[in-house]
Amino acid sequence: MGIIVSPKELRINVGESCNRSCLGCSKDSDKERIGKPATLDDFFMAISETKEQGTLESASITGGEPLHPQLREKTCRLIEYAKPADVRLCTNGDFIDSKQFAEELKNLGVNSVQIGLDSSAPCFQNMRSKSETAWNDTMQGITNALKAGLPVSIRYTLYDENLDDAVKTYLLVSRMGVQQFKLRTLFPSGSAIQNCLNMLPSGEQLAKAQHDALLVSKGNATRLELSQPCFYTIPQGYNAFIEDNESCGERNNASINSVGIAEYCLFCDDGARFGNIKDNSFLDLWNSPEIIAARKQRKRNGIIVGCPAYEIQRQRHLGDYATFERELKRTTEGLQRNL
């Protein structure tokens, strides 16, 4: 095979079970997630291969909802097995229902939890999640994690209806002691394609939301993370950064979905897949000539070939790049004047 290359990050979807039916969920993005789920041993083998190469730096456990009663045991065993990698748990927070359980997660090996919160008050979050208790349950999960000393990163997705609430939500969780706040654009895949394309903000609106959030990050302990699209450098003095692995071409990572399909991205379809770990060694798949060539192409172009979500985002979400870049340049200059 020659030189064996191994990814630095693994993102594992433990299963599709979830207690919510969120409008913007991406879990239905892959129609082939039908069939026999990957077993713990399947996931263990993939993790072992990357650990043996000495390259595994982080493991993200996601779903579905990884703490759903049907997935909790599987998730906990994966957390333990992935150590000493930096283990991140992506959850809606509903099942972190006590400080004691949050402490158990921390002791198992979870280094941080990423929790989705899209509003500073219940109305929008509950509507988007199709649950009357979603906001309260999420807030309780955040509180319990923080009480247990478990670092929390908030994932705030920008829709046209919650743009003006981003700063309020940032300040709310900052007062709670949350360590990081990720302001992200909606990734239109899965259910979001049918449910949320008419809720996407314009480029100018996104630029303003990012600008306003950057201003409040100055001097604040909660670090602000801006996901792409960002075409500018954040001036010094702001407690913020641009996500450094957003461009597919810069990422040395791999994902494994709930039925064992290995892929570059859990949100993409055919163009991102390179085999199933139930049938082949993960590293054999990763180091096949076809995938090596695809990785080189991916790095040159900065995107997975045939990524449907990217195309939708480019055409519908941002559309006029010239306008967006001009708006970002204007707001960046405004930030520099505020220093």
Side-chain angles (χ1 to χ4, degrees):
M1 182 186 295
I3 298 174
I4 297 176
V5 178
S6 180
K8 295 180 180 180
E9 177 184 349
L10 276 180
R11 184 178 176 95
I12 296 175
N13 180 343
V14 295
E16 303 301 320
S17 300
C18 188
N19 59 313
R20 293 189 186 175
S21 301
C22 296
L23 294 173
C25 184
S26 60
K27 76 171 185 176
D28 297 326
S29 62
D30 187 348
K31 295 181 178 63
E32 291 193 15
R33 289 180 197 175
I34 300 172
K36 187 177 179 181
T39 66
L40 268 173
D41 286 340
D42 293 326
F43 289 134
F44 286 167
M45 183 62 68
I47 293 171
S48 291
E49 291 180 55
T50 54
K51 287 171 74 171
E52 287 171 5
Q53 296 300 315
T55 62
L56 186 62
E57 296 178 359
S58 65
S60 297
I61 312 297
T62 184
E65 169 48 52
L67 296 179
H68 188 279
Q70 294 179 8
L71 301 175
R72 182 179 293 200
E73 181 179 355
K74 193 175 186 180
T75 294
C76 290
R77 292 190 62 188
L78 277 171
I79 291 167
E80 284 189 295
Y81 198 81
K83 293 186 299 187
D86 178 18
V87 180
R88 306 164 187 171
L89 184 63
C90 303
T91 173
N92 60 32
D94 292 5
F95 296 104
I96 308 178
D97 50 11
S98 68
K99 176 187 174 184
Q100 179 181 357
F101 181 55
E103 289 172 341
E104 290 175 14
L105 291 173
K106 184 179 179 181
N107 293 334
L108 278 173
V110 174
N111 296 100
S112 63
V113 291
Q114 183 178 105
I115 298 177
L117 180 69
D118 294 334
S119 62
S120 63
C123 185
F124 182 79
Q125 179 93 359
N126 292 352
M127 179 277 293
R128 187 193 63 81
S129 304
K130 296 183 180 179
S131 167
E132 294 182 358
T133 64
W135 190 85
N136 287 328
D137 293 341
T138 295
M139 292 297 289
Q140 189 60 59
I142 295 168
T143 299
N144 291 333
L146 292 171
K147 285 182 177 179
L150 192 57
V152 174
S153 173
I154 296 299
R155 183 181 65 253
Y156 188 98
T157 302
L158 289 164
Y159 301 85
D160 58 0
E161 294 184 30
N162 71 343
L163 285 166
D164 294 336
D165 200 30
V167 168
K168 291 180 183 178
T169 308
Y170 172 87
L171 293 173
L172 171 67
V173 298
S174 179
R175 288 192 295 269
M176 295 173 68
V178 163
Q179 286 77 14
Q180 185 169 300
F181 186 87
K182 180 175 181 178
L183 197 63
R184 65 188 289 267
T185 55
L186 179 70
F187 198 82
S189 62
S191 301
I193 294 177
Q194 288 77 36
N195 298 327
C196 300
L197 288 187
N198 63 343
M199 301 170 67
L200 296 173
S202 68
E204 293 94 330
Q205 289 174 318
L206 285 174
K208 184 179 185 303
Q210 291 178 346
H211 168 262
D212 293 345
L214 276 168
L215 287 178
V216 298
S217 77
K218 190 176 179 182
N220 200 301
T222 299
R223 197 175 189 198
L224 176 68
E225 175 181 346
L226 299 178
S227 68
Q228 297 284 15
C230 296
F231 303 100
Y232 61 98
T233 301
I234 296 172
Q236 292 184 350
Y238 294 86
N239 188 13
F241 67 107
I242 297 173
E243 186 180 32
D244 61 3
N245 64 353
E246 184 72 13
S247 169
C248 293
E250 299 301 321
R251 299 168 74 170
N252 186 13
N253 69 350
S255 299
I256 304 172
N257 74 16
S258 59
V259 298
I261 296 174
E263 47 197 357
Y264 293 127
C265 177
L266 286 174
F267 307 119
C268 294
D269 296 313
D270 293 338
R273 298 194 190 101
F274 51 91
N276 196 305
I277 62 170
K278 292 186 290 190
D279 305 319
N280 300 279
S281 157
F282 171 74
L283 284 187
D284 283 350
L285 293 170
W286 184 255
N287 286 277
S288 68
E290 297 83 3
I291 299 308
I292 290 174
R295 289 207 309 272
K296 289 180 179 177
Q297 185 279 334
R298 177 190 185 201
K299 188 168 185 177
R300 284 196 304 270
N301 294 352
I303 194 69
I304 297 168
V305 174
C307 171
Y310 174 81
E311 287 303 311
I312 292 171
Q313 192 144 274
R314 181 175 65 84
Q315 295 171 19
R316 167 64 179 87
H317 186 1
L318 298 178
D320 184 356
Y321 267 102
T323 300
F324 188 54
E325 288 184 299
R326 185 176 66 249
E327 191 69 17
L328 284 174
K329 183 176 184 295
R330 185 183 68 79
T331 56
T332 301
E333 291 171 350
L335 287 172
Q336 292 169 333
R337 286 195 296 272
N338 283 320
L339 281 173

